[in-house]
Amino acid sequence: MQLSKFSLLALFILSGSLQAAPSYESFSSILKNKNYQLKLSNSYFQTTAFYDHDGVKQNLGSRDNYTRMENELLFRRSFTKHFEAGVFGRYRQQNSEEADIAGTMHSNSASGIESVGFQFRHAFLPVQKLRYTLEGGARLVAYKNSEYDTTQPYKEIMLGDGVNELFAGGAVSYESKSNNVLTGRVHLNYPTSRQSSELKYDTQGALVWEKIALLAGVGGIYSLNQDKYSSDKTAKPRRYTGATRMYNSINRSYVAPYIGLNFTLGSQFRVETKATSIVMANSYDQGNEYSVNFVYNSNKADNTAVVEKDDKFKTYNIEASVVKVSPRSKFIRIDKGIAQDVEKGMRADVFEFDYLGGNKLLASGVVMEVAADAAVVKLLEIYQQADIKVGHVVRLQEL
């Protein structure tokens, strides 16, 4: 698959601002407060067969062919620790070759801005290792299909269904002690005209390391069978779609398993690759899709966080407590982790605090390991003779 000129230009712009980014982002992840993300998604789909309105598989003609390329640019920004919003736009290019009943080949193509839209996401407080989000938004089409001409039925193919859509739903994720993730998302898609409402779902598991992640999952659409032509499919108005049945469908549905590989480039840049195969469908195509996404994260410090200052006027963003000390006092475990925005590499200072004004700096170190609600700090410098004990205050600085 070759990337479009638009994709290459965007990649050049993003890579020029590179400054290790997380290798994986679950469906319920939310950006840190005041941070933003740019995500350029590129996909290539080729039809291998199709399923008619009754779910019966039909093979393509020996010379028929349909391919589609899409580029989507998403901008997300967080406004608080629990709320973010974004805008997006999609460009589509498709090519079709189809033989009519007499064997005459008809080649058609269509391209243009397919849709624009917005989305929002609200994150609830984590429950142990579970994270939840409430999501919604709208997608608005940016084109209008030509009327079907019965005298020239192969003249022009549709760019898409041309239907505006509202969506709402939620996501949940579970992170294991080894940072591996199970995550899922369900949206109710509500088209503003003609088509049936449907549930769009995606479930995914990921093996996550610092700079690479392997993932596998199953996505798809489940129709609520509300299309107005469900009882009389022959009454559906004719549209020319070329050698695809993805558009002008009736109660479309499909199941699509996939595998993927993510890897990081620099501290703010991630590449996501995925291969998907549609294996079961109704009023939709069977086929294979390959995608590559380029993700840029701003990784700004959260300046609105509640801060603490010690006597040397250091600024802290997170405060935790010591819950365990290693036998030789080389390592300590604290009671804050990923859920509280603790990250590997953070500077950690240990204090002895009392209610008479004491605020004594005992030691300094760096965060070595992070779990959902805990972290391990390696102590690098000891400043006082006093022993470090469970209950001592640990204050952490943003990276």
Side-chain angles (χ1 to χ4, degrees):
M1 178 183 68
Q2 292 183 342
L3 300 179
S4 66
K5 293 181 179 179
F6 172 74
S7 303
L8 293 174
L9 176 60
L11 175 59
F12 175 77
I13 294 173
L14 293 181
S15 61
S17 57
L18 289 181
Q19 287 192 25
S23 63
Y24 180 77
E25 185 178 275
S26 73
F27 295 148
S28 60
S29 295
I30 192 166
L31 299 174
K32 287 186 177 181
N33 191 16
K34 306 300 182 183
N35 276 255
Y36 67 87
Q37 181 187 90
L38 281 172
K39 182 176 183 179
L40 175 64
S41 304
N42 309 274
S43 66
Y44 174 85
F45 177 86
Q46 182 166 23
T47 297
T48 57
F50 65 87
Y51 293 83
D52 62 21
H53 299 323
D54 297 314
V56 178
K57 183 178 177 179
Q58 306 285 341
N59 293 322
L60 290 178
S62 59
R63 295 185 294 168
D64 292 356
N65 183 59
Y66 173 80
T67 59
R68 181 187 69 187
M69 293 184 65
E70 286 186 338
N71 311 111
E72 182 166 304
L73 185 61
L74 166 67
F75 174 80
R76 297 164 53 197
R77 185 182 186 276
S78 60
F79 295 89
T80 71
K81 286 188 175 181
H82 302 286
F83 181 80
E84 69 175 37
V87 293
F88 56 84
R90 176 187 292 170
Y91 180 87
R92 175 179 293 164
Q93 178 180 346
Q94 56 188 10
N95 295 280
S96 170
E97 295 181 354
E98 185 180 36
D100 62 22
I101 193 171
T104 303
M105 292 300 298
H106 299 273
S107 297
N108 297 86
S109 63
S111 61
I113 299 176
E114 189 271 337
S115 61
V116 296
F118 67 91
Q119 66 181 44
F120 69 86
R121 182 180 296 169
H122 171 75
F124 298 96
L125 291 174
V127 179
Q128 295 183 349
K129 297 180 181 181
L130 293 173
R131 289 171 175 258
Y132 303 88
T133 55
L134 181 66
E135 308 168 348
R139 183 181 292 273
L140 309 174
V141 295
Y143 64 95
K144 184 177 181 180
N145 290 314
S146 300
E147 293 294 325
Y148 183 69
D149 187 349
T150 57
T151 63
Q152 302 181 60
Y154 298 96
K155 180 180 178 181
E156 186 176 353
I157 63 172
M158 304 169 64
L159 184 61
D161 283 312
V163 177
N164 298 325
E165 182 180 81
L166 303 175
F167 58 90
V172 61
S173 64
Y174 171 84
E175 182 175 327
S176 71
K177 291 182 179 180
S178 56
N179 295 331
N180 299 322
V181 178
L182 290 175
T183 186
R185 166 186 285 149
V186 176
H187 284 172
L188 172 63
N189 289 359
Y190 176 76
T192 57
S193 61
R194 295 197 302 277
Q195 292 180 326
S196 172
S197 298
E198 55 196 20
L199 294 176
K200 191 171 185 180
Y201 61 88
D202 198 345
T203 59
Q204 186 178 102
L207 301 176
V208 183
W209 294 274
E210 182 177 358
K211 295 185 179 181
I212 193 171
L214 298 174
L215 56 97
V218 178
I221 287 177
Y222 176 81
S223 176
L224 298 184
N225 297 321
Q226 297 172 341
D227 195 291
K228 62 181 295 185
Y229 299 102
S230 298
S231 59
D232 186 6
K233 298 179 176 63
T234 60
K236 185 83 170 183
R238 180 73 186 274
R239 296 286 188 272
Y240 182 53
T241 63
T244 178
R245 300 298 182 271
M246 288 192 292
Y247 312 121
N248 205 38
S249 58
I250 297 177
N251 297 325
R252 66 176 183 174
S253 64
Y254 65 82
V255 177
Y258 59 84
I259 57 174
L261 169 67
N262 298 353
F263 57 91
T264 63
L265 296 174
S267 63
Q268 297 170 278
F269 199 60
R270 180 173 70 248
V271 179
E272 305 171 341
T273 64
K274 187 167 70 171
T276 306
S277 181
I278 296 177
V279 295
M280 293 188 296
N282 183 85
S283 196
Y284 207 77
D285 286 10
Q286 175 181 288
N288 301 310
E289 183 173 67
Y290 306 95
S291 63
V292 56
N293 305 331
F294 305 104
V295 184
Y296 172 80
N297 292 292
S298 63
N299 287 344
K300 292 180 180 179
D302 181 1
N303 294 323
T304 66
V306 176
V307 298
E308 303 284 348
K309 293 186 179 180
D310 67 3
D311 295 334
K312 298 179 182 179
F313 301 100
K314 291 181 181 178
T315 300
Y316 299 94
N317 303 83
I318 302 170
E319 184 169 288
S321 296
V322 177
V323 295
K324 188 174 182 180
V325 182
S326 68
R328 297 185 180 181
S329 298
K330 296 293 185 181
F331 298 89
I332 59 173
R333 181 181 292 273
I334 61 174
D335 62 353
K336 297 290 175 67
I338 295 173
Q340 294 80 29
D341 296 329
V342 177
E343 298 181 4
K344 287 183 181 180
M346 275 186 164
R347 172 69 181 264
D349 291 335
V350 183
F351 291 87
E352 184 178 40
F353 173 79
D354 61 47
Y355 293 96
L356 299 177
N359 195 22
K360 184 167 62 176
L361 179 63
L362 303 179
S364 295
V366 63
V367 176
M368 300 295 293
E369 299 291 340
V370 185
D373 293 294
V376 175
V377 175
K378 181 178 181 180
L379 300 179
L380 302 177
E381 296 181 78
I382 305 296
Y383 301 113
Q384 305 287 342
Q385 295 298 323
D387 293 335
I388 296 173
K389 301 177 181 179
V390 172
H392 279 159
V393 174
V394 180
R395 292 169 179 158
L396 300 104
Q397 292 176 293
E398 291 271 0
L399 297 174

